[in-house]
Amino acid sequence: MWVLGLSVVTVLVIYVFHLIYKLKNPKFSSTSSLPPGSMGLPFIGETIQFMIPSYSLDQHTFFKKRIQRFGPIFRTSLFGQPIVISVDPEFNSYLVQQEGKLVKLFLGPLSKVFVPDGDHHVYTSDYIHKYFRNVTLSHVGSECIREKLLPQLEEMSKEALHMWSTQASIEVYEYSSDMLFHIFAKHYFGYDAEKLPKTGRIAEQLFTTLSKVFMTIPLNIPGTTYHKCLEEAKKAFTIMKNIMEKRKSSPESYRGDLLDQVMNDMKTEKILTDDQNVYLVLGVWFATCLAIASLLTLIFKFLSEYPSVIEELRVEHEEIIKGRDKSSSSLTWGEYKSMKFTQQVINEALRFTILIPGLLRTTIKDIQVKEYTIPAGWTILLATQTLHMNSKIYKDPLTFNPQRWKDLDSYAISKNFKPFGGGLRQCPGAELTRATMATFLHVLVTQYRWTKIRGGNVVRNPMLGFGDGIHIKLWKKNT
């Protein structure tokens, strides 16, 4: 009898939870006009299936199975949130142009990591976004790269690769993230980790912990990865807030960096508070390093597997050196812009490297798509990952083939290639990512050789990562 009683109680509890959920989300109760799909269990939804890892460069099995069953636009429930997932390129392109009209930014698991006191307005406001995007572009856009950053990126690459070559072996993601955090911490807010004691350095702990926020269930319970991410974010906030306070008390410490610019703007425009500025600068710093470190790791994987690509890169970059008046000269903007094959390599790596499954948006009002209605307040995931694996656009999509980019037309690329998002919220760091990668590859293929020791097995859950990293041995050319 106790088994029967327990079963009845269990059913009643589930029913009550489901009823509460329906009352809180009234449009959830009517599914007749929603896109097809399954909402899974109450509260849990299909989160467990979503988080199950797959071990392929292909799109995650969660998406693949549901696209085959329901089509390119389907509904589900993830992390207690009703959500519509779209892999329809036309609909996705349309939505990214409707920022502030039909949809607004949704931060997902990052909402409590880089949002001060739950004030999502700092990221979702179109006005604030436009302001901060313009400010960021002044520090990472083409002009800044050409006039200031390019020689710094080359010097960073030389120093890092020299240090790597002195090690018995290095894990690419760990070492590259450390390299990137150092240079961009200096560039964005003047934080020089090398001048601090080892216990005072935040790059290693912060990056390795926060980068896991995309691959964990957002439960703020002590002991969980998500809770650790929140704690590390607080540490980073405290460090940068201290830097800001010191600059306020010492105007002579002005550096002209991103932090200085937003602090100066505060004096006249009062767009953001101190805390909001700190979180926004932290977010830019973190996104820059995470994107480039992930891309660099994947490129090492592919170059280790495709030696012919390395040789073609060497030819291109050695021709650049031969064309200089002095072989010791630094890389110029014109040389960077001439790297056609290098950009094809970067494009092909970007096609595989998706840091999140796609672009997250919240509907402002009901949206009609085909014969379906997506209710206001729902989340939409524009799944760019699946677009990049479309065999109709990319022949043999699981094959790393930089040459394919010579034949793709601009229209197909604009609809089916979204590594930096799209529309008004396209990532301002797109050119910086390309310039950093191209500069690093320039130094790598002309001055060094390497071999992969172990690792390189990919894991999607559903973001792309590596099981045990990629370990390489690097040595100086002709030594």
Side-chain angles (χ1 to χ4, degrees):
M1 290 297 293
W2 69 270
V3 175
L4 178 60
L6 181 61
S7 300
V8 172
V9 171
T10 301
V11 171
L12 285 174
V13 169
I14 293 175
Y15 175 77
V16 170
F17 280 162
H18 188 56
L19 181 61
I20 293 172
Y21 189 67
K22 287 170 66 177
L23 291 173
K24 291 177 65 178
N25 301 272
K27 292 197 174 184
F28 171 74
S29 60
S30 175
T31 60
S32 58
S33 62
L34 287 169
S38 170
M39 305 305 288
L41 298 171
F43 290 101
I44 297 175
E46 296 189 306
T47 305
I48 295 175
Q49 298 94 314
F50 183 75
M51 297 294 290
I52 293 174
S54 63
Y55 302 92
S56 168
L57 285 168
D58 200 358
Q59 59 184 298
H60 192 270
T61 52
F62 178 88
F63 299 99
K64 202 167 188 177
K65 289 180 179 179
R66 284 154 184 79
I67 292 168
Q68 292 170 351
R69 182 178 176 186
F70 302 118
I73 302 176
F74 60 92
R75 74 176 189 271
T76 183
S77 176
L78 301 174
F79 306 108
Q81 184 82 22
I83 184 170
V84 168
I85 296 177
S86 170
V87 299
D88 185 303
E90 295 296 331
F91 181 59
N92 290 359
S93 295
Y94 168 72
L95 272 194
V96 297
Q97 303 301 325
Q98 298 300 310
E99 194 76 41
K101 301 173 184 177
L102 295 179
V103 295
K104 61 182 180 180
L105 179 68
F106 178 69
L107 294 174
L110 286 176
S111 61
K112 294 186 182 298
V113 177
F114 290 114
V115 179
D117 302 321
D119 182 11
H120 294 206
H121 182 69
V122 68
Y123 283 101
T124 58
S125 165
D126 292 335
Y127 178 74
I128 293 177
H129 173 265
K130 183 179 180 180
Y131 158 74
F132 202 75
R133 188 177 191 278
N134 290 336
V135 170
T136 303
L137 275 172
S138 68
H139 293 272
V140 301
S142 298
E143 184 177 350
C144 181
I145 296 170
R146 180 175 63 249
E147 301 297 329
K148 180 180 179 180
L149 269 176
L150 200 63
Q152 293 180 18
L153 294 173
E154 185 175 16
E155 189 61 29
M156 171 200 75
S157 301
K158 289 179 178 178
E159 291 178 0
L161 286 167
H162 172 72
M163 189 274 287
W164 294 8
S165 69
T166 64
Q167 308 298 307
S169 69
I170 63 109
E171 199 284 302
V172 176
Y173 186 77
E174 175 189 349
Y175 276 70
S176 60
S177 62
D178 191 53
M179 167 189 74
L180 294 162
F181 258 49
H182 289 164
I183 186 172
F184 290 116
K186 293 178 185 178
H187 180 65
Y188 288 137
F189 54 96
Y191 178 84
D192 193 346
E194 296 295 341
K195 293 181 180 179
L196 298 174
K198 185 67 177 178
T199 54
R201 296 176 63 179
I202 63 171
E204 294 85 351
Q205 317 98 287
L206 181 67
F207 188 85
T208 55
T209 303
L210 286 183
S211 61
K212 297 175 183 177
V213 71
F214 295 104
M215 297 177 283
T216 183
I217 297 175
L219 292 175
N220 186 15
I221 300 173
T224 64
T225 300
Y226 190 69
H227 179 77
K228 293 178 182 176
C229 289
L230 296 180
E231 293 302 308
E232 290 299 329
K234 291 177 183 177
K235 294 178 184 177
F237 173 84
T238 300
I239 289 171
M240 190 178 292
K241 188 68 179 290
N242 289 338
I243 292 174
M244 177 181 282
E245 294 302 324
K246 287 180 180 178
R247 291 196 188 183
K248 283 184 176 182
S249 60
S250 304
E252 67 277 6
S253 63
Y254 179 84
R255 298 169 52 93
D257 54 24
L258 179 61
L259 184 60
D260 275 335
Q261 184 169 348
V262 296
M263 288 175 62
N264 285 340
D265 290 345
M266 284 172 58
K267 298 175 183 177
T268 55
E269 301 186 45
K270 301 292 182 182
I271 295 175
L272 299 168
T273 66
D274 282 1
D275 287 2
Q276 289 172 336
N277 276 321
V278 167
Y279 273 95
L280 282 168
V281 174
L282 273 177
V284 170
W285 177 48
F286 175 71
T288 301
C289 300
L290 178 62
I292 300 175
S294 300
L295 180 60
L296 182 59
T297 304
L298 190 62
I299 282 186
F300 264 103
K301 169 186 167 59
F302 285 133
L303 293 185
S304 299
E305 296 171 355
Y306 294 87
S308 61
V309 175
I310 300 176
E311 290 308 312
E312 194 162 351
L313 279 171
R314 281 183 183 143
V315 169
E316 178 170 84
H317 287 273
E318 286 175 357
E319 285 297 319
I320 288 174
I321 293 175
K322 289 177 183 177
R324 294 173 179 169
D325 293 334
K326 295 181 180 180
S327 60
S328 60
S329 299
S330 298
L331 189 67
T332 67
W333 179 256
E335 291 171 346
Y336 159 61
K337 282 299 188 180
S338 73
M339 300 174 183
K340 293 183 178 180
F341 183 68
T342 301
Q343 290 301 333
Q344 292 172 14
V345 171
I346 294 171
N347 275 351
E348 187 69 345
L350 283 167
R351 189 171 65 84
F352 289 95
T353 307
I354 301 296
L355 301 180
I356 57 177
L359 311 177
L360 286 167
R361 298 292 185 266
T362 298
T363 54
I364 298 173
K365 57 182 71 175
D366 290 0
I367 296 177
Q368 301 296 320
V369 50
K370 299 181 180 179
E371 67 270 30
Y372 311 123
T373 300
I374 304 174
W378 275 48
T379 300
I380 301 181
L381 173 63
L382 310 179
T384 51
Q385 181 187 99
T386 58
L387 295 178
H388 294 180
M389 294 293 124
N390 186 348
S391 59
K392 294 179 181 179
I393 304 298
Y394 307 104
K395 183 180 178 181
D396 299 323
L398 298 184
T399 300
F400 182 76
N401 178 20
Q403 297 288 357
R404 74 168 81 246
W405 294 90
K406 293 192 300 183
D407 303 320
L408 289 172
D409 63 80
S410 58
Y411 180 79
I413 292 174
S414 67
K415 297 292 184 183
N416 297 277
F417 187 55
K418 305 283 186 182
F420 300 107
L424 296 175
R425 289 190 177 273
Q426 181 165 318
C427 175
E431 190 69 52
L432 177 64
T433 299
R434 292 183 178 279
T436 304
M437 288 306 311
T439 305
F440 186 90
L441 288 172
H442 176 71
V443 178
L444 176 69
V445 300
T446 57
Q447 299 184 26
Y448 290 89
R449 299 291 184 268
W450 75 93
T451 184
K452 186 179 77 171
I453 297 175
R454 62 184 174 88
N457 298 319
V458 300
V459 180
R460 284 197 188 273
N461 65 335
M463 284 62 72
L464 180 64
F466 295 89
D468 59 348
I470 297 177
H471 299 257
I472 65 168
K473 169 60 182 173
L474 190 83
W475 62 93
K476 190 79 172 179
K477 180 181 175 182
N478 298 328
T479 61

